[in-house]
C-alpha cells in the first residue's frame, strides 16, 4: 500500500522560530510536492521537486525553502515563522506522467503564535 | 495559465439524494482530470480520474465524464450517504515542460449529508 508520511500532525511554534516539516514516501516516486491548504483558498503549491537535489518554486514560495537530499524525503523549511503561516501543510508524491495519481500525506497542522 | 473552477459550497443534502458538483477547467493542452476527496482530519485521496476526452472515471458510486467540448468534469452520485460527507476537490494535471507535470486544484466543495 502506498504511503506518504508526514512527521508531525500538530505543531505549535513561536514567531521567528525555524520550523522543519518532514515528509517521506515509500513508493520510489520522482516527484514530491508541498501544498498549503487554507479555508476558501483551496490547495496552493509552495514548492515541488522532480529529482534529488532539485527544486522548483510553486505559486507561493515566499517565506519557505525546501530540501531534497534523498529521493524518498522532501523537507519544507520555514526560516522564520510568522503568524500568517499558520495553516495545514500537505506533502504529496507521484511518479512521472500527466495521468498518474498524486498521493497525499495526512497533513501537518501548524500554528504560529 | 491553467485553472480549475468548481461550484462553491457548502452543499447540504439528505441521505439518498442526487449529488452534482460542477467543475470546469482552463488548460492549454490535453490535461488529465481528477476528483480528490478529503474526509475530516485527513489528507486528500484520489476518488476518480480520466485521462482523455470522453473517458468516464468512476469509484464508490461516484462518476465524472471528461467533456472536452464544454471543458467540464462534473462529479455525480445517484444516492449519497452520510459517510460521503467530506470536501471534494477537482484538479487537472498538465505537462509543464521536460518530464514535469503540474497539478492545479479547485478550491474545494464541502458536502454535508444528513440522515
Amino acid at each position: 500500500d502506498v504511503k506518504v508520511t508526514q512527521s508531525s500532525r500538530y505543531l505549535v511554534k513561536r514567531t521567528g522560530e525555524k520550523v522543519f516539516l518532514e515528509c517521506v514516501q515509500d513508493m520510489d516516486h520522482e516527484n514530491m510536492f508541498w501544498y498549503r491548504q487554507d479555508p476558501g483558498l483551496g490547495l496552493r503549491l509552495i514548492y515541488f521537486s522532480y529529482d534529488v537535489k532539485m527544486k522548483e518554486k510553486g505559486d507561493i514560495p515566499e517565506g519557505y525553502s525546501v530540501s531534497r537530499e534523498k529521493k524518498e524525503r522532501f523537507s519544507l523549511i520555514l526560516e522564520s515563522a510568522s503568524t500568517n503561516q499558520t495553516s495545514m501543510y500537505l506533502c504529496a508524491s507521484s511518479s512521472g506522467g500527466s495521468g498518474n495519481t498524486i498521493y497525499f500525506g495526512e497533513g501537518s497542522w501548524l500554528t504560529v503564535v | 495559465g491553467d485553472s480549475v473552477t468548481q461550484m462553491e459550497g457548502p452543499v447540504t443534502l439528505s441521505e439518498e439524494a442526487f449529488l452534482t458538483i460542477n467543475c470546469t477547467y482552463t488548460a492549454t493542452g490535453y490535461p488529465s482530470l481528477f476528483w480528490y476527496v478529503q474526509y475530516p482530519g485527513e489528507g486528500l485521496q484520489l476518488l476518480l480520474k480520466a485521462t482523455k476526452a470522453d473517458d468516464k472515471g468512476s469509484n464508490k458510486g461516484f462518476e465524472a465524464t471528461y467533456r472536452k467540448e464544454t471543458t467540464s468534469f462534473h462529479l455525480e452520485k445517484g444516492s449519497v450517504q452520510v459517510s460521503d460527507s467530506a470536501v471534494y476537490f477537482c484538479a487537472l494535471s498538465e505537462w509543464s515542460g521536460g518530464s514535469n507535470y503540474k497539478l492545479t486544484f479547485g478550491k474545494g466543495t464541502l458536502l454535508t449529508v444528513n440522515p
Side-chain angles (χ1 to χ4, degrees):
Chain A
D1 205 11
V2 298
K3 195 81 173 170
V4 178
T5 303
Q6 296 184 227
S7 57
S8 305
R9 288 299 308 273
Y10 302 96
L11 305 92
V12 180
K13 298 292 181 181
R14 296 192 180 280
T15 301
E17 274 193 79
K18 190 169 186 176
V19 181
F20 292 86
L21 299 179
E22 306 286 343
C23 175
V24 176
Q25 51 96 1
D26 65 358
M27 297 162 281
D28 201 36
H29 283 166
E30 298 87 359
N31 309 320
M32 296 190 74
F33 309 84
W34 275 105
Y35 288 88
R36 172 177 171 161
Q37 182 179 10
D38 298 288
L41 298 177
L43 275 73
R44 294 179 291 168
L45 182 63
I46 305 172
Y47 268 97
F48 57 98
S49 169
Y50 289 118
D51 201 352
V52 175
K53 295 189 186 295
M54 181 272 186
K55 60 185 179 185
E56 294 280 346
K57 293 181 180 179
D59 300 318
I60 52 163
E62 296 78 18
Y64 303 94
S65 63
V66 290
S67 172
R68 193 165 181 201
E69 296 296 319
K70 294 184 178 181
K71 189 175 185 180
E72 68 270 19
R73 187 180 298 271
F74 193 36
S75 302
L76 180 69
I77 304 155
L78 287 67
E79 295 289 343
S80 178
S82 63
T83 55
N84 63 12
Q85 292 178 310
T86 292
S87 187
M88 160 82 120
Y89 291 88
L90 288 164
C91 176
S93 73
S94 75
S95 59
S98 172
N100 289 340
T101 301
I102 287 188
Y103 295 90
F104 284 84
E106 292 196 333
S108 297
W109 287 95
L110 172 65
T111 301
V112 182
V113 298
Chain B
D2 297 346
S3 66
V4 175
T5 303
Q6 61 183 103
M7 64 185 284
E8 294 194 17
V11 174
T12 302
L13 297 173
S14 298
E15 206 164 23
E16 299 184 1
F18 184 84
L19 168 71
T20 300
I21 301 178
N22 290 335
C23 173
T24 58
Y25 68 90
T26 303
T28 53
Y30 303 94
S32 295
L33 301 174
F34 304 80
W35 277 100
Y36 279 83
V37 59
Q38 184 179 34
Y39 297 104
E42 299 183 11
L44 277 71
Q45 55 186 276
L46 179 69
L47 180 59
L48 53 84
K49 68 179 181 182
T51 57
K52 61 183 188 297
D54 300 323
D55 270 2
K56 177 186 283 187
S58 61
N59 186 27
K60 300 182 181 179
F62 291 89
E63 292 184 341
T65 301
Y66 188 161
R67 302 286 188 199
K68 195 172 192 314
E69 64 275 13
T70 55
T71 61
S72 65
F73 193 54
H74 305 320
L75 182 68
E76 297 182 335
K77 186 174 185 181
S79 177
V80 293
Q81 306 300 312
V82 172
S83 57
D84 294 327
S85 298
V87 181
Y88 292 82
F89 291 91
C90 185
L92 72 82
S93 173
E94 188 168 39
W95 181 72
S96 59
S99 60
N100 302 333
Y101 292 87
K102 184 179 175 184
L103 196 68
T104 302
F105 284 89
K107 292 186 177 180
T109 302
L110 173 63
L111 170 66
T112 301
V113 180
N114 295 319

